[in-house]
Each structure stands twice: as structure tokens, then as C-alpha cells.
Amino acid sequence: MSGHSDPGTWLLERIDAREKALTGQSEQMRSQIDELTARLRDLDQDIEHLKITRKTLLALAEEPDPAPPPQPAPVLPDHPVYQQILTILADAGQPMRARDLCLALDLPLARRNVENTRAKLKRLVSLGILAETEPGLFAQQRP
């Protein structure tokens, strides 16, 4: 009580100082509570999203797999020799080599003819119309 002549004034100043200090602490705690409440709301929302995701994934896992879209039928190149090749292979009923196809197509066994026929056979393989059962041996695709 030094420096104060009136003990009542001194007590009121102490009470005012204490009230200001407590009010400051209270405001600080309310601010922290508001911040924690917002964080808690965000966490609750994240948890709810995870629950929904889990429920959706479990429901999807129970569904049968959708049928794959049907593959479009391979388009045969426009040139008539391709149809002739397919007809010869179908009639033969067994794999053939480019050289044998040249003979069946009545082409001279010139290297150029064999290579051109092989290129056509390779194109039919790339289109999924024929299969190359072993190097240089071509057959119709099995269904």
C-alpha cells in the first residue's frame, strides 16, 4: 500500500488491473476456441467425406464388372486381293506362307511378289484379321 493514501482506491486499481488481465485471457481463449471449433468442423467434414468414399467404394466393389464394349469388326482393306487371300486361307484350312499364297494367286514367284504378299499378310495381322502363328506362317484368327 505504499504511495497510496486511500486503501480503497488501491484495491479498486488492483481489481481493475486484474479484471483487464482476465478479460484479455478470456478474449484470447475465445479466439482459440473459435479457431479450434473451425478446425474441428473441417476434421468432421473430412471424416464424413471418407465415410462416404468408403461406402461408395464398397458398393462399387459389390457390383458386377460392366461388360467391355464390343470390339468393332476389323475393316478389310479395300483392294480385292485381300479378299482373295482370305478366301484362299479359308479354303486351305491351314496356315500358309507368302510364297504359297503367291502360287495360289497365280502370281510369278518373283521376290517382289512374295514380299508384297507378305506385306499384305502382315497388314491383315496388324488389323486383327489374320494371325501369324509362327514367323512367316499366316492363318485365320480363331474366334
Side-chain angles (χ1 to χ4, degrees):
M1 293 207 322
S2 62
H4 288 286
S5 56
D6 182 9
T9 303
W10 178 80
L11 282 174
L12 288 174
E13 288 174 357
R14 295 280 309 241
I15 289 172
D16 286 345
R18 179 78 175 135
E19 184 181 1
K20 283 181 184 177
L22 291 175
T23 300
Q25 287 179 356
S26 173
E27 288 172 1
Q28 188 177 16
M29 289 187 117
R30 285 184 207 292
S31 176
Q32 289 176 345
I33 287 172
D34 290 344
E35 182 182 326
L36 289 172
T37 301
R39 288 176 56 195
L40 183 59
R41 188 174 35 251
D42 291 345
L43 287 172
D44 286 342
Q45 187 177 28
D46 288 348
I47 290 168
E48 190 58 31
H49 288 164
L50 287 172
K51 286 179 180 178
I52 292 168
T53 300
R54 177 185 291 113
K55 184 177 178 180
T56 302
L57 288 175
L58 289 172
L60 287 174
E62 291 176 4
E63 288 181 7
D65 287 340
Q71 292 292 331
V75 177
L76 191 63
D78 214 13
H79 197 279
V81 75
Y82 288 99
Q83 188 57 55
Q84 292 172 331
I85 290 171
L86 292 179
T87 302
I88 292 168
L89 280 170
D91 290 346
Q94 63 183 8
M96 295 180 75
R97 299 196 176 278
R99 174 182 162 78
D100 301 326
L101 274 161
C102 283
L103 291 173
L105 290 166
D106 292 327
L107 294 173
L109 285 181
R111 179 166 201 204
R112 181 172 161 253
N113 291 337
V114 175
E115 290 302 320
N116 285 340
T117 302
R118 182 175 291 111
K120 286 175 178 57
L121 290 166
K122 293 275 190 183
R123 182 166 184 209
L124 290 172
V125 169
S126 73
L127 293 172
I129 297 171
L130 292 181
E132 190 170 6
T133 57
E134 60 183 64
L137 196 58
F138 299 89
Q140 292 184 313
Q141 284 280 28
R142 300 282 179 228

